[in-house]
Amino acid sequence: MAGDEGLNSKQIAEITEQRQEIVMEALHDLQADMERSKRGIQIVAIAGMYQLTTLPDHAPYFERMAYSPSRSSLSQAALETLAIVAYRQPITRVEIEEIRGVKSDRAIQTLVNKDLIEETGRAEAIGRPILYGTTRAFLDYFGLASLSELPEASAFEQSEGLEEETQLLFEKLEGRQLTIEDVNEEGGDR
């Protein structure tokens, strides 16, 4: 709950309604207990702030987890956002939100984290907003040779275009979402 910064002993004392000396003693006892018990987490003091962190020995496992292809499929919001980016790239977050009618920060972040979209530049507008486009990994992930293999968007009416574009993209891509097992079985790495 404290975020990346952690808490100092004064803040912990205020929260727990204890004297700072008692808090410091409790922190040291907890640190020693976690080390003795060989727990997977530890309390570290950095620049006077205390943080609960994982052990450095476990870092390789967390890195593999963070950078391996996700087994989960994309949410409806992420798929909608991905379809918009695929058809309208380069596009800003604000333009995506205008089309979808809802905030899209989380969907965009998910797609960036999965390396399906990326920052392609900055728009020549006030604030120079980030422009997004699809990645090579997007093409690989969905088995497309190029963006020209996407269903033709110009055939749709403007009023229903987004829903139909999204549905056509879903149909085209259905069954093509790879899991880590698929990649391992093929012996390739996408």
Side-chain angles (χ1 to χ4, degrees):
M1 286 178 41
D4 293 336
E5 307 85 39
L7 297 170
N8 63 35
S9 59
K10 183 179 178 184
Q11 291 170 313
I12 297 170
E14 289 174 5
I15 293 166
T16 60
E17 298 178 342
Q18 297 293 325
R19 291 191 333 265
Q20 207 166 342
E21 299 80 31
I22 293 173
V23 166
M24 292 300 298
E25 186 177 321
L27 284 170
H28 293 302
D29 288 347
L30 191 54
Q31 282 175 317
D33 181 58
M34 288 177 156
E35 190 174 323
R36 255 189 327 275
S37 303
K38 298 188 184 310
R39 302 278 173 97
I41 56 174
Q42 64 183 345
I43 295 175
V44 294
I46 300 173
M49 305 296 273
Y50 292 89
Q51 299 176 348
L52 191 60
T53 68
T54 57
L55 293 176
D57 296 347
H58 298 168
Y61 305 109
F62 291 109
E63 287 173 4
R64 279 191 291 242
M65 184 176 74
Y67 296 111
S68 68
S70 175
R71 294 197 54 186
S72 64
S73 59
L74 296 172
S75 68
Q76 182 71 27
L79 283 170
E80 288 174 8
T81 303
L82 184 56
I84 292 167
V85 173
Y87 280 99
R88 307 277 168 89
Q89 62 187 303
I91 189 169
T92 66
R93 177 189 54 80
V94 171
E95 291 169 325
I96 294 168
E97 290 173 352
E98 286 174 358
I99 294 168
R100 287 193 67 226
V102 295
K103 286 200 146 302
S104 298
D105 294 342
R106 180 176 253 165
I108 290 170
Q109 192 58 45
T110 296
L111 295 170
V112 167
N113 289 342
K114 290 182 182 282
D115 194 31
L116 296 173
I117 66 171
E118 66 185 350
E119 181 178 329
T120 60
R122 297 280 181 159
E124 294 295 327
I126 296 173
R128 305 224 348 114
I130 296 171
L131 290 168
Y132 293 98
T134 56
T135 63
R136 174 148 173 66
F138 164 81
L139 297 173
D140 289 345
Y141 187 79
F142 292 109
L144 302 171
S146 70
L147 291 175
S148 64
E149 289 188 359
L150 289 171
E152 186 60 44
S154 62
F156 306 118
E157 291 180 17
Q158 191 63 20
S159 62
E160 299 175 20
L162 178 61
E163 288 179 27
E164 289 185 36
E165 285 174 15
T166 303
Q167 188 57 43
L168 258 167
L169 180 60
F170 296 163
E171 289 170 9
K172 173 132 179 97
L173 303 176
E174 187 176 76
R176 289 197 174 174
Q177 291 189 21
L178 300 175
T179 66
I180 194 166
E181 286 83 19
D182 296 328
V183 172
N184 290 338
E185 286 174 15
E186 292 174 13
D189 88 309
R190 297 195 182 251

